[in-house]
């Protein structure tokens, strides 16, 4: 097994051998007890190795060139779609990178699986990694690549497990009518019931990315659609949603709502106001420590095309600057929902809130109609493009960047993963400790320089996920306090683009990493 340890990482590369993955269940070698010590970011230029904080190691559980056990035409590999007939990598006409995105870890009948939707290539699909399978040719299975209605399959970004319906929910991050939520039913063995993606129009169509259940059976959705260009940045144009099903075990009917934020005088902050004035003082106030705002949920009217984005704007909901993902804080009975805001990902932006941040919505219960919104962490040039988010403990929040290559070059720094202690109250927000300085592998570097443009030229951190695999309602993220890499909990992240590697994080048994535990 290949590990990165103590700040040194070897990337998987193009010639990854079978031995790297075959022993993935073997414990890591012991390392000295250590607190989480932050590392420096990698330069945006040249090939770079991943660097992990002291006390953490990682092993690859899957990578792009792994063949699927049951290919379907050009859907042939974990990280490549070969419909174009191109070679797998480093060629002017190379195959499409599929970009395995978010991760969901589930245990069915003692079998340990990791599921992903795929965000790139001409169409998306959903795969399952059998973490117990040492034979690489049998490790990754195609779960679904066709729709139940026969329509074209979009690409997928977000994914979660809905224990009330016994379905994987995947989101298509695209404007209506392409975007939306799709379901895949799994049986008690973790196998697909009918191997099709069922569209869920009752949840609306929009650029959904984040998807998360609460304890009442509601589905929370976080949208990521960039608005019109203005001031070197973009107008807020994306909403936070909550879908309440008529019955918890059926998502075919229910009520879709969007979050509305109110000014100090009680009036709503609307999409039209922010489109008319992208420098509205509300945006500055929202991105200022110590502020808070009253919120309420408004019902989203869905027309014939189920356009949630247009419906949310018409209902007076409040748009944000690309809020991508959200998660409930454990130990709060689903009363605190944290979500990221990516921002403009361009240092030339003169708009307020250009660097995004992390926000907390506090409610008395997940079903409450009112609440309070406050900033938790505000981005800057060093910490921006905030995307995936996950709690490692009740107070320890992990967040990762997707800043994009333009901003990478502007600040001469690739993406990073940060640890924030949200239980410590500081006037200027929690300190961000870098637990991961991501590199750039040879495949991504080639794409950056020579590819025909359909494969991204950077490595993106995505899919940070911590779970014990519980498929019951007790396993909903936020229901239990996780332990990162202790006990039954396992932690994964994906190095998207390039070699498309999915990693598992490790902290050796007996090691007390006081920065994370």
């Amino acid at each position: 097994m290949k590990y990165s340890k103590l700040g040194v990482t070897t990337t998987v590369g193009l010639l990854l051998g079978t031995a790297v993955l075959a022993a993935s269940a073997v414990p890591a070698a012991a390392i000295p007890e250590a607190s989480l010590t932050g590392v420096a970011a990698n330069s945006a230029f040249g090939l770079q190795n991943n660097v992990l904080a002291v006390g953490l190691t990682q092993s690859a559980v899957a990578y792009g060139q792994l063949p699927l056990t049951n290919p379907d035409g050009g859907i042939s590999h974990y990280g490549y779609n070969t419909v174009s007939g191109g070679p797998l990598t480093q060629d002017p006409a190379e195959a499409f990178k599929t970009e395995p995105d978010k991760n969901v870890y589930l245990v069915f009948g003692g079998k340990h699986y990791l599921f992903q939707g795929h965000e790139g290539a001409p169409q998306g699909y959903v795969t399952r990694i059998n973490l117990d399978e040492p034979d690489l040719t049998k490790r990754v299975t195609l779960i679904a690549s066709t729709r139940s209605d026969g329509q074209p399959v979009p690409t997928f970004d977000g994914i979660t497990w809905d224990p009330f319906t016994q379905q994987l929910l995947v989101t298509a991050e695209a404007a209506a009518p392409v975007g939306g939520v799709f379901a895949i039913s799994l049986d008690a063995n973790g196998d697909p019931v009918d191997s099709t993606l069922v569209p869920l129009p009752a949840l609306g169509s929009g650029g959904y990315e984040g998807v998360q259940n609460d304890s009442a059976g509601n589905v929370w959705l976080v949208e990521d659609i960039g608005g019109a260009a203005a001031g070197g940045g973009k107008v807020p144009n994306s909403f936070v949603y909550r879908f309440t099903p008529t019955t918890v075990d059926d998502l075919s009917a229910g009520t879709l709502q969007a979050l509305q934020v109110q000014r100090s005088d009680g009036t709503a902050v609307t999409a039209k106001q922010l489109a008319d004035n992208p420098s509205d003082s509300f945006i500055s106030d929202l991105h200022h420590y110590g502020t808070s705002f009253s919120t309420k949920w408004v019902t989203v009217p869905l027309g014939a095309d189920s356009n949630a984005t247009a419906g949310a704007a018409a209902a007076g909901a409040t748009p944000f600057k690309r809020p991508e993902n959200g998660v409930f804080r454990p130990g709060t009975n689903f009363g605190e929902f944290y979500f990221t805001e990516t921002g403009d990902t361009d240092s030339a932006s003169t708009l307020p809130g250009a660097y995004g941040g992390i926000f907390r919505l506090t409610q008395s219960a997940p079903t409450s109609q009112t609440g309070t919104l406050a900033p938790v962490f505000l981005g800057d040039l060093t910490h921006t493009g905030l995307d995936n988010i996950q709690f490692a403990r009740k107070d320890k929040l992990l967040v990762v960047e997707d800043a994009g290559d333009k901003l990478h070059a502007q600040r001469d720094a690739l993406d990073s993963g940060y640890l924030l202690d949200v239980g410590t109250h500081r006037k200027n927000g929690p300190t961000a400790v870098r637990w991961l300085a991501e590199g750039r592998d040879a495949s991504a570097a080639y794409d950056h320089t020579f590819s025909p443009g359909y494969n991204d030229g950077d490595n993106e951190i995505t899919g940070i996920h911590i779970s014990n695999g519980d498929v019951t309602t007790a396993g909903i993220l936020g229901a239990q306090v996780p332990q990162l890499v202790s006990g039954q909990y396992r932690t994964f992240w994906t190095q998207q683009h390039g070699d498309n590697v999915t990693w598992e994080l490790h902290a050796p048994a007996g090691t007390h990493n006081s920065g994370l535990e």
Side-chain angles (χ1 to χ4, degrees):
M1 185 183 336
K2 186 172 289 187
Y3 281 98
S4 61
K5 99 168 40 172
L6 302 179
V8 178
T9 300
T10 47
T11 56
V12 171
L14 302 178
L15 300 176
L16 179 64
T18 301
V20 176
L21 292 164
S24 60
V26 179
I31 62 174
E33 180 175 321
S35 298
L36 181 68
T37 302
V39 295
N42 273 317
S43 170
F45 303 99
L47 295 177
Q48 304 286 349
N49 288 330
N50 296 335
V51 182
L52 291 170
V54 172
L56 294 177
T57 61
Q58 63 184 10
S59 59
V61 298
Y63 63 100
Q65 294 189 45
L66 283 183
L68 300 179
T69 62
N70 53 340
D72 178 15
I75 302 174
S76 55
H77 292 75
Y78 177 68
Y80 290 91
N81 183 315
T82 56
V83 67
S84 64
L88 294 187
T89 189
Q90 294 198 6
D91 183 276
E94 66 181 357
F96 293 95
K97 304 285 180 67
T98 69
E99 303 177 12
D101 206 286
K102 309 299 187 298
N103 294 299
V104 167
Y105 170 60
L106 299 171
V107 179
F108 289 94
K111 297 179 180 179
H112 304 82
Y113 294 131
L114 194 66
F115 296 84
Q116 302 89 13
H118 290 248
E119 186 184 14
Q123 73 154 83
Y125 54 89
V126 179
T127 53
R128 184 187 69 192
I129 302 171
N130 183 346
L131 298 168
D132 305 320
E133 177 56 67
D135 185 342
L136 300 188
T137 65
K138 299 178 181 179
R139 174 164 285 211
V140 186
T141 299
L142 178 64
I143 293 297
S145 60
T146 60
R147 284 172 57 154
S148 59
D149 57 6
Q151 295 299 306
V153 178
T155 58
F156 299 117
D157 196 316
I159 186 171
T160 197
W161 169 249
D162 187 330
F164 299 97
T165 64
Q166 297 292 291
Q167 292 174 317
L168 287 171
L169 304 181
V170 292
T171 57
E173 184 191 349
V178 176
V181 185
F182 298 77
I184 307 164
S185 296
L186 301 182
D187 63 20
N189 296 315
D191 295 321
V193 173
D194 57 13
S195 298
T196 60
L197 294 141
V198 179
L200 300 173
L203 280 73
S205 179
Y208 300 151
E209 180 169 346
V211 56
Q212 169 72 53
N213 276 102
D214 65 27
S215 56
N218 302 318
V219 179
W220 294 55
L221 298 161
V222 182
E223 184 176 44
D224 175 19
I225 294 181
K234 292 186 177 181
V235 174
N237 190 46
S238 305
F239 300 89
V240 176
Y241 302 86
R242 182 180 67 184
F243 177 75
T244 301
T246 303
T247 58
V248 296
D249 61 352
D250 182 1
L251 299 180
S252 65
T255 302
L256 182 67
Q257 296 177 303
L259 188 68
Q260 181 190 87
V261 185
Q262 299 169 350
R263 300 179 191 272
S264 58
D265 63 2
T267 60
V269 180
T270 67
K272 185 179 186 309
Q273 292 170 357
L274 301 188
D276 290 344
N277 181 14
S279 295
D280 190 300
S281 60
F282 162 76
I283 304 177
S284 297
D285 293 341
L286 179 66
H287 295 84
H288 189 277
Y289 287 115
T291 58
S292 63
F293 302 85
S294 296
T295 65
K296 72 174 184 179
W297 292 97
V298 295
T299 299
V300 176
L302 295 176
D305 62 356
S306 298
N307 192 324
T309 311
T318 304
F320 298 87
K321 296 176 76 69
R322 297 182 58 199
E324 298 204 35
N325 285 280
V327 67
F328 288 96
R329 184 182 182 186
T332 67
N333 294 317
F334 293 88
E336 292 185 12
F337 183 71
Y338 286 64
F339 64 90
T340 54
E341 185 188 52
T342 293
D344 291 330
T345 60
D346 189 339
S347 66
S349 174
T350 60
L351 298 179
Y355 293 117
I358 302 173
F359 299 91
R360 177 182 63 244
L361 175 63
T362 303
Q363 300 182 161
S364 59
T367 55
S368 297
Q369 295 301 310
T370 59
T372 303
L373 183 70
V376 174
F377 178 79
L378 298 176
D380 54 30
L381 182 61
T382 303
H383 319 85
T384 189
L386 304 178
D387 192 330
N388 285 206
I389 187 172
Q390 189 87 159
F391 275 94
R393 296 287 287 165
K394 179 181 179 181
D395 298 330
K396 304 299 177 66
L397 181 63
L398 301 180
V399 62
V400 301
E401 293 179 309
D402 175 18
D405 249 0
K406 182 176 183 179
L407 187 55
H408 293 159
Q410 289 172 337
R411 68 182 186 182
D412 188 17
L414 296 174
D415 289 334
S416 294
Y418 301 102
L419 171 73
L420 307 175
D421 187 343
V422 299
T424 300
H425 299 286
R426 299 174 65 250
K427 181 179 180 181
N428 294 321
T431 300
V433 180
R434 185 179 288 104
W435 63 269
L436 167 64
E438 190 178 43
R440 192 195 304 262
D441 63 33
S443 294
Y446 180 89
D447 291 339
H448 178 74
T449 307
F450 300 111
S451 81
Y454 48 75
N455 289 329
D456 283 359
D458 69 329
N459 286 130
E460 173 192 338
I461 306 171
T462 190
I464 180 67
H465 179 69
I466 303 169
S467 172
N468 62 2
D470 188 345
V471 297
T472 72
T473 56
I476 297 173
L477 297 181
Q480 304 175 42
V481 177
Q483 302 178 46
L484 189 70
V485 287
S486 301
Q488 299 301 310
Y489 284 87
R490 299 176 73 169
T491 303
F492 303 90
W493 72 279
T494 297
Q495 188 166 359
Q496 205 180 46
H497 313 146
D499 289 331
N500 281 324
V501 184
T502 294
W503 302 95
E504 181 171 5
L505 287 178
H506 306 273
T511 297
H512 175 63
N513 190 318
S514 60
L516 292 169
E517 300 295 335

